[in-house]
Amino acid sequence: MSSTEHTIISPAILYWGTPVVLVTSENEDGTSNISPISSAWWLGHSCMLGFGAESKTPQNILRTKQCVLNLPSDAMGDRVNRLADTTGSDPVSADKASRNYRFVKDKWARAGLHPQPSDFVAPRRIAECPVQMECQLVEVRGLMDDLPDRRGLLIAVEVRVLRTHILRSLRMEGYPNRVDPDKWRPLIMSFQEFYGLKDGKAAPSVLGRISEEKYRALTKSDVKKLPGDDDDQVAVVEGDA
């Protein structure tokens, strides 16, 4: 391909396409905050989340050291939209006010969602979401700290997944701890627009030939035990039941 096929641009956002996450956290008064984000990625059972530092959700996570990551399906775009321009902070920050955000106290009612109790953390799970991950805080890092006039605006939050809940219909037949990717339809955000996955695989994957259990060592420590570490064995027992 000729180099003339490429051109230089400077997008204001670099949202190339990641799953939407509805993060539930606990407010100071014990009520819930629900925040939709798409700055999230996983490796092993660790997850990195990106936030504006002034947002209510990272403030809650830093205070309580807990959250739940709820993944909506591609059929839940309307529910996410009801939360997209809301904030749990009162008063609304000048930055969010300039983008027409408004304070909403009861986000469950706003989005027509329903809470489920979690097993290891205080924040509630979202019943309508096919995937729910209970998490604890590991570390917080500032982004753009090398730019003096931008330091403190953005933060990266590392959390560890303690327990994963999924709909039974998403489990891969014959495997106690695998998600069937042919059945899972996440809601994807790409440059502020919602997309889903096409039916079926785009192409066969060479990495798909590797057993997922080959990565199990990345999910837990041999010397430090955490809640949920033995859930892979729990799932085996449930599968045999």
Side-chain angles (χ1 to χ4, degrees):
M1 179 182 293
S2 170
S3 61
T4 59
E5 297 295 323
H6 291 86
T7 187
I8 296 172
I9 65 171
S10 180
I13 58 175
L14 296 173
Y15 291 173
W16 299 108
T18 49
V20 173
V21 183
L22 295 179
V23 185
T24 48
S25 60
E26 190 172 78
N27 296 321
E28 292 87 344
D29 61 1
T31 60
S32 299
N33 190 53
I34 308 175
S35 175
I37 69 169
S38 61
S39 297
W41 60 273
W42 290 260
L43 190 61
H45 282 191
S46 296
C47 180
M48 294 297 300
L49 308 169
F51 295 100
E54 66 178 8
S55 297
K56 187 64 175 178
T57 292
Q59 294 173 7
N60 284 347
I61 294 175
L62 267 61
R63 189 187 72 259
T64 67
K65 297 179 170 48
Q66 298 178 341
C67 68
V68 178
L69 308 181
N70 305 273
L71 302 187
S73 72
D74 60 4
M76 293 179 64
D78 179 63
R79 304 286 185 94
V80 177
N81 273 332
R82 297 180 203 174
L83 299 172
D85 57 357
T86 69
T87 176
S89 297
D90 185 22
V92 180
S93 68
D95 177 59
K96 288 194 172 181
S98 70
R99 289 179 277 140
N100 298 317
Y101 276 63
R102 60 195 181 281
F103 169 70
V104 172
K105 180 66 174 178
D106 188 350
K107 294 190 178 183
W108 296 105
R110 169 68 182 171
L113 300 171
H114 299 86
Q116 285 181 317
S118 298
D119 295 332
F120 296 142
V121 300
R124 301 297 188 92
R125 297 178 286 141
I126 298 176
E128 288 75 9
C129 288
V131 179
Q132 312 151 335
M133 288 166 280
E134 301 181 36
C135 301
Q136 71 177 21
L137 176 66
V138 175
E139 190 174 355
V140 180
R141 304 174 180 85
L143 296 178
M144 300 194 300
D145 281 354
D146 57 323
L147 305 176
D149 59 337
R150 294 293 184 267
R151 185 180 298 123
L153 293 180
L154 301 175
I155 58 174
V157 177
E158 180 185 352
V159 298
R160 180 163 293 119
V161 177
L162 301 177
R163 173 160 286 175
T164 301
H165 307 259
I166 68 168
L167 291 180
R168 292 184 182 276
S169 59
L170 296 181
R171 299 181 72 154
M172 181 176 285
E173 186 176 352
Y175 295 87
N177 288 297
R178 292 191 65 179
V179 177
D180 191 333
D182 286 331
K183 299 175 181 177
W184 169 225
R185 291 292 178 266
L187 183 64
I188 304 295
M189 172 162 280
S190 178
F191 290 94
Q192 299 192 106
E193 299 292 345
F194 291 141
Y195 295 89
L197 300 179
K198 293 181 179 179
D199 290 337
K201 300 178 180 66
S205 169
V206 171
L207 293 181
R209 304 171 188 168
I210 301 173
S211 169
E212 291 185 6
E213 290 300 319
K214 295 288 187 180
Y215 304 102
R216 178 67 63 184
L218 294 174
T219 67
K220 52 187 170 182
S221 168
D222 292 330
V223 297
K224 182 179 180 180
K225 291 299 181 182
L226 295 172
D229 272 356
D230 296 326
D231 277 2
D232 55 319
Q233 297 304 313
V234 171
V236 169
V237 172
E238 287 184 348
D240 291 339

